[in-house]
Amino acid sequence: MIPAPMPTLMVVPTGIGCEIGGYAGDAIPSARLLASASGCLITHPNVMNGASLYWLDNRIHYVEGYALDRFAAGDWQLRPVRRQRLGLLLDAGIEADLTLRHRQLMEACRASLGLDIGPVITSDAPLEVTLETGGSGASWGRLGRPDALLRAGECLKRAGASAIAVVARFPDEVDTAALAAYRQGSGVDGLAGAEAVISHLLVRHLKLPCAHAPALAPLPLDPQVDPRAVAEELGHTFLACVLVGLSRAPDLVVDGSCRPDDLMADQLGAVVVPQGALGGEAVLACLERQVPVITVENRSVLSVTSDALAMGPDVLHAGSYAEAAGLVMALREGLAPESLMRPLQRRQAIG
């Protein structure tokens, strides 16, 4: 008998250069495996966004990072839907020809994929994105006109959008050495941190599913681009994966109402996270709820490990996402993970 799905959280933080999940959708195979093992995977756009490439799986719930934190903390619930009506928010700072490319991609998704897209709005002022790098090496950024972003988002919500895709013009003048390292598979995505700032702000303000795609001038061809980054080299925009992901993103239930099919934090059976990135709000909330934490060897610029946080022996360690999937399957089957390990220690009597 197939066991009931066990909702599982997969977190790969944005902009920290994870070997898996730090590039253009290169964590999708791992997410698909964890979805198969759990029957229900909740993850965020950084895991599923592959620029020109994407994968839709009804077992995978696409939830923006701020909403994911609120869900893990028990503040919000997730309500699966058949489809979302997507609003498209375009930055007034995007050049006319690049704007046309994004609008054409939107029309292609309507015609070829059957997505429900519209309304469309352009912000009333350029959003003025700037990029930064923190002392740890993680990427982040600033938004010069958050007011313009929020006004445009409010207009889309009033016009009937139930989820919002954002395209902001990102600077082309970036650290060329860092960009080259990223394209060759040894650096941090310099855009990801700023993207998170934009989507977090919109989700917090609108309480709607949102995700972001950067608008950039095409890069020159480079035969040495790493396979993990090459999905970003294939088209004029990164918008396709965002539209597909949002098309079935669950509604965010923030008023405390509950339906039988809603996903709630107390249903979580496990959280899977890179071993060096355990300091995020969602993971800490799961620890407080005593949700089993599975850490995966997945190097990044961070070193916030279970030892550094004194998490104790209850954290489960996996050498790969394939091994993590095995642990998820064991938990779903009701097996004690230690029963699969050798040596098997004797239980000591208490008292």
Side-chain angles (χ1 to χ4, degrees):
M1 184 175 68
I2 299 175
M6 184 187 77
T8 297
L9 200 63
M10 179 185 183
V11 178
V12 183
T14 299
I16 64 171
C18 284
E19 286 194 326
I20 297 176
Y23 295 85
D26 66 302
I28 292 175
S30 299
R32 293 178 61 194
L33 183 62
L34 289 172
S36 179
S38 66
C40 176
L41 187 71
I42 302 156
T43 192
H44 52 112
N46 183 57
V47 170
M48 300 304 298
N49 283 356
S52 299
L53 305 178
Y54 48 82
W55 195 271
L56 196 60
D57 186 325
N58 289 334
R59 299 168 299 183
I60 300 177
H61 300 280
Y62 183 94
V63 181
E64 191 277 337
Y66 178 83
L68 197 78
D69 290 344
R70 301 279 59 75
F71 166 75
D75 299 332
W76 295 359
Q77 290 80 49
L78 305 176
R79 182 165 295 163
V81 299
R82 291 184 183 276
R83 65 184 173 92
Q84 296 286 6
R85 186 176 189 224
L86 306 181
L88 178 59
L89 195 167
L90 298 169
D91 182 357
I94 305 173
E95 302 89 329
D97 58 343
L98 196 50
T99 296
L100 179 58
R101 292 291 190 187
H102 285 84
R103 293 184 68 96
Q104 287 176 331
L105 186 280
M106 173 198 70
E107 300 293 6
C109 287
R110 293 179 62 228
S112 298
L113 303 180
L115 302 190
D116 184 1
I117 307 174
V120 180
I121 194 171
T122 299
S123 62
D124 57 26
L127 300 181
E128 299 175 2
V129 176
T130 56
L131 305 178
E132 307 283 347
T133 302
S136 66
S139 68
W140 62 290
R142 300 178 187 273
L143 194 60
R145 293 296 304 271
D147 56 321
L149 176 73
L150 297 182
R151 281 194 299 271
E154 290 167 353
C155 287
L156 289 173
K157 186 174 182 179
R158 287 195 299 270
S162 59
I164 295 176
V166 188
V167 182
R169 185 62 164 100
F170 270 48
D172 293 321
E173 299 79 16
V174 298
D175 183 330
T176 54
L179 176 59
Y182 171 75
R183 294 178 83 192
Q184 294 168 20
S186 61
V188 172
D189 182 351
L191 312 181
E195 291 192 89
V197 170
I198 293 168
S199 63
H200 288 8
L201 183 59
L202 269 180
V203 171
R204 185 175 67 180
H205 185 69
L206 299 176
K207 313 297 192 292
L208 294 180
C210 299
H212 177 267
L216 293 164
L219 292 170
L221 285 173
D222 180 351
Q224 302 303 317
V225 173
D226 189 275
R228 294 171 296 171
V230 78
E232 295 178 341
E233 312 276 330
L234 303 180
H236 296 282
T237 88
F238 304 156
L239 181 58
C241 62
V242 170
L243 294 174
V244 171
L246 286 173
S247 68
R248 292 188 186 176
D251 283 340
L252 308 176
V253 181
V254 303
D255 61 2
S257 65
C258 185
R259 296 180 185 172
D261 292 338
D262 289 353
L263 294 170
M264 296 175 286
D266 60 10
Q267 298 171 331
L268 285 172
V271 55
V272 181
V273 61
Q275 162 65 358
L278 300 183
E281 186 174 352
V283 175
L284 296 178
C286 287
L287 278 169
E288 287 185 4
R289 293 175 170 275
Q290 298 184 314
V291 175
V293 175
I294 300 171
T295 67
V296 182
E297 291 296 328
N298 184 6
R299 286 183 297 176
S300 73
V301 298
L302 299 184
S303 57
V304 185
T305 65
S306 53
D307 290 340
L309 295 178
M311 287 182 172
D314 294 331
V315 174
L316 301 171
H317 298 283
S320 67
Y321 282 99
E323 187 177 338
L327 291 171
V328 168
M329 290 182 69
L331 293 170
R332 184 180 177 189
E333 287 283 352
L335 296 171
E338 65 179 19
S339 69
L340 307 173
M341 311 299 180
R342 295 296 183 271
L344 183 61
Q345 302 295 328
R346 291 186 178 88
R347 287 294 190 208
Q348 300 297 319
I350 60 173

